[in-house]
Amino acid sequence: MTTAAPRGFGVPWPELNDGIFYKDVVPSSDHETTLIQFYSSKYGNSAPVQGWLQRIQNGQIKIDGRVVTDPNESVSAGLEVVYHRLPWKEPDAPYFLGILYEDDNMIALNKPSGLQVLPGGLFQQRTVLSQLQWQDSKQSTLLSSQEPQPVPVHRLGRGTSGILLCAKTKIAKSRLSIYFADGTSLVGGKRNTTKEPSSVRKISKIYRALVNGLVDEDEVIITEPIGVIKYPGVAKGLYVASPSGKPALSKVKVLERNVQGNCSLVQVEIQSGRPHQIRIHLSFIGHPLLGDPLYVSGGKPGCFDSQSVDEGFAQDGGYCRPQHAVPGDCGYFLHAHQLLLSHPVTDEVIKITAPLPSILQSQGEAQSIQRESVGNF
């Protein structure tokens, strides 16, 4: 007996992306500055001074539609300047997205590990958002084009797999965004307790993870706040466990302990949505995700400012990739397994489940799946 292919969509990535055009209007505060001064001061996180000189001399920048190759040319307030980042080959990434649930208002996707959700860094085209836009362009009609394109209403880390919820209408986007924000604000307002009635929250997220070491307690509640520190190669800073950070709450339940492998299979329910919350919280209690290249025990990175960004620059003029780990690096095992939510339009309670990768299945689950598979033949 053959198994039906999973329902979904995806287009193989082009060899090169389309590049990007960044537009700016020179503000009055930068009156009579030079082109190189404007870009190196405003976008120093994008490239060092020598990198911006290279981009200007390559003819990648226009002033009011005119290519300018002199870095010392003056730019005055009100002028439009455009930098063209040339097309490049993005790192390898999967492209197929399974569909777990879909109606006229929203779609729940099964995101593979290794695929970024929104554009950022080296990944500007190889993202979930691009695949959604390409799929929508295939299906668009004069009627449907009046609605916005489907967009993710929350994020999953590039290395995290599982349920990604996307809105297909304005009302769904607004209400789903409120659901996610409300969960975090409840924690911030200290209204969450271990016995908080589920009716208070409109959405509940359960993850499956594999962590280093044997977790002693069967259930652990983690309330360590999450803040931001400066970190080489991460322009907006790195999220870490920090007493001065914002409130966060994760409930951890141990499903299995592998004594021989010195690891534990856990279920995590998050009641707030801080970036990298599960990775940070589990590492904070001394059990970082198995294979996590970034976070170590204590909820912080393995290296701080001991390594600096390479002051050399890459072929496009930008900084070279940091030698140490950054948040988008993969290798860990984390899966958004179940989502329980009130439908944004009908208020019907919906449960969505993303099949577990084999490495995140308990022994009982793996045996049950194997029996079902044998029974289908």
Side-chain angles (χ1 to χ4, degrees), residues 67-215:
V67 174
V68 176
T69 57
D70 179 4
N72 295 313
E73 178 154 339
S74 296
V75 292
S76 54
L79 290 177
E80 180 185 77
V81 291
V82 179
Y83 157 55
H84 179 204
R85 184 176 181 181
L86 300 176
W88 71 94
K89 182 179 180 179
E90 300 182 13
D92 291 339
Y95 62 84
F96 185 82
L97 293 159
I99 298 176
L100 302 169
Y101 174 90
E102 184 175 18
D103 61 27
D104 291 339
N105 294 280
M106 63 182 187
I107 180 171
L109 303 173
N110 191 6
K111 185 189 86 68
S113 173
L115 178 59
Q116 191 155 303
V117 175
L118 299 177
L122 292 176
F123 294 92
Q124 294 294 326
Q125 185 178 66
R126 297 186 179 190
T127 65
V128 172
L129 183 61
S130 291
Q131 291 291 349
L132 282 170
Q133 291 171 340
W134 293 342
Q135 179 70 3
D136 184 67
S137 66
K138 288 181 184 178
Q139 300 177 341
S140 63
T141 65
L142 290 176
L143 292 176
S144 65
S145 63
Q146 296 175 2
E147 285 289 354
Q149 292 178 327
V151 292
V153 292
H154 64 111
R155 296 195 189 195
L156 292 180
R158 190 164 72 87
T160 305
S161 58
I163 303 169
L164 179 69
L165 201 57
C166 305
K168 298 170 67 175
T169 63
K170 291 180 180 179
I171 189 170
K173 179 182 178 182
S174 174
R175 291 181 179 174
L176 289 172
S177 297
I178 290 172
Y179 291 176
F180 281 100
D182 280 351
T184 300
S185 65
L186 285 171
V187 173
K190 298 183 179 181
R191 290 170 56 188
N192 270 83
T193 68
T194 57
K195 297 182 179 180
E196 180 191 337
S198 59
S199 59
V200 174
R201 302 170 64 235
K202 290 281 192 177
I203 196 162
S204 176
K205 296 172 285 183
I206 295 177
Y207 290 71
R208 187 72 65 94
L210 191 62
V211 302
N212 277 294
L214 304 178
V215 182

Side-chain angles (χ1 to χ4, degrees), residues 98-367:
I99 298 176
L100 302 169
Y101 174 90
E102 184 175 18
D103 61 27
D104 291 339
N105 294 280
M106 63 182 187
I107 180 171
L109 303 173
N110 191 6
K111 185 189 86 68
S113 173
L115 178 59
Q116 191 155 303
V117 175
L118 299 177
L122 292 176
F123 294 92
Q124 294 294 326
Q125 185 178 66
R126 297 186 179 190
T127 65
V128 172
L129 183 61
S130 291
Q131 291 291 349
L132 282 170
Q133 291 171 340
W134 293 342
Q135 179 70 3
D136 184 67
S137 66
K138 288 181 184 178
Q139 300 177 341
S140 63
T141 65
L142 290 176
L143 292 176
S144 65
S145 63
Q146 296 175 2
E147 285 289 354
Q149 292 178 327
V151 292
V153 292
H154 64 111
R155 296 195 189 195
L156 292 180
R158 190 164 72 87
T160 305
S161 58
I163 303 169
L164 179 69
L165 201 57
C166 305
K168 298 170 67 175
T169 63
K170 291 180 180 179
I171 189 170
K173 179 182 178 182
S174 174
R175 291 181 179 174
L176 289 172
S177 297
I178 290 172
Y179 291 176
F180 281 100
D182 280 351
T184 300
S185 65
L186 285 171
V187 173
K190 298 183 179 181
R191 290 170 56 188
N192 270 83
T193 68
T194 57
K195 297 182 179 180
E196 180 191 337
S198 59
S199 59
V200 174
R201 302 170 64 235
K202 290 281 192 177
I203 196 162
S204 176
K205 296 172 285 183
I206 295 177
Y207 290 71
R208 187 72 65 94
L210 191 62
V211 302
N212 277 294
L214 304 178
V215 182
D216 292 332
E217 299 178 33
D218 291 339
E219 295 188 4
V220 184
I221 295 176
I222 309 170
T223 58
E224 178 69 10
I226 293 175
V228 180
I229 61 170
K230 290 184 178 180
Y231 186 75
V234 182
K236 295 182 179 180
L238 179 70
Y239 288 90
V240 297
S242 170
S244 61
K246 295 182 179 180
L249 191 153
S250 303
K251 296 181 179 181
V252 182
K253 179 180 180 181
V254 177
L255 302 178
E256 275 186 355
R257 296 178 180 88
N258 183 339
V259 177
Q260 184 177 2
N262 191 34
C263 59
S264 302
L265 182 66
V266 300
Q267 171 182 295
V268 185
E269 180 181 0
I270 58 172
Q271 298 198 8
S272 52
R274 306 300 177 196
H276 313 300
Q277 176 174 323
I278 293 177
R279 297 171 68 185
I280 294 169
H281 269 180
L282 287 170
S283 63
F284 174 74
I285 63 171
H287 297 283
L289 295 182
L290 190 67
D292 193 330
L294 177 61
Y295 292 103
V296 298
S297 293
K300 292 181 171 61
C303 70
F304 281 95
D305 54 359
S306 58
Q307 290 178 304
S308 60
V309 176
D310 185 351
E311 288 300 322
F313 50 95
Q315 186 174 359
D316 73 340
Y319 286 107
C320 292
R321 186 203 183 285
Q323 295 299 309
H324 51 264
V326 293
D329 291 343
C330 304
Y332 55 88
F333 301 101
L334 179 62
H335 182 72
H337 180 39
Q338 292 182 336
L339 189 68
L340 190 68
L341 77 154
S342 297
H343 192 280
V345 176
T346 67
D347 215 31
E348 173 190 2
V349 176
I350 297 173
K351 183 178 182 180
I352 302 170
T353 301
L356 291 165
S358 58
I359 197 169
L360 294 178
Q361 296 169 4
S362 66
Q363 290 185 9
E365 289 166 336
Q367 291 169 0

Side-chain angles (χ1 to χ4, degrees), residues 7-37:
R7 179 170 172 253
F9 59 90
V11 177
W13 306 114
E15 182 72 11
L16 299 177
N17 62 24
D18 298 328
I20 311 174
F21 290 89
Y22 296 93
K23 295 182 181 180
D24 282 285
V25 174
V26 179
S28 56
S29 59
D30 287 328
H31 182 66
E32 294 305 326
T33 190
T34 65
L35 193 60
I36 185 62
Q37 289 172 339

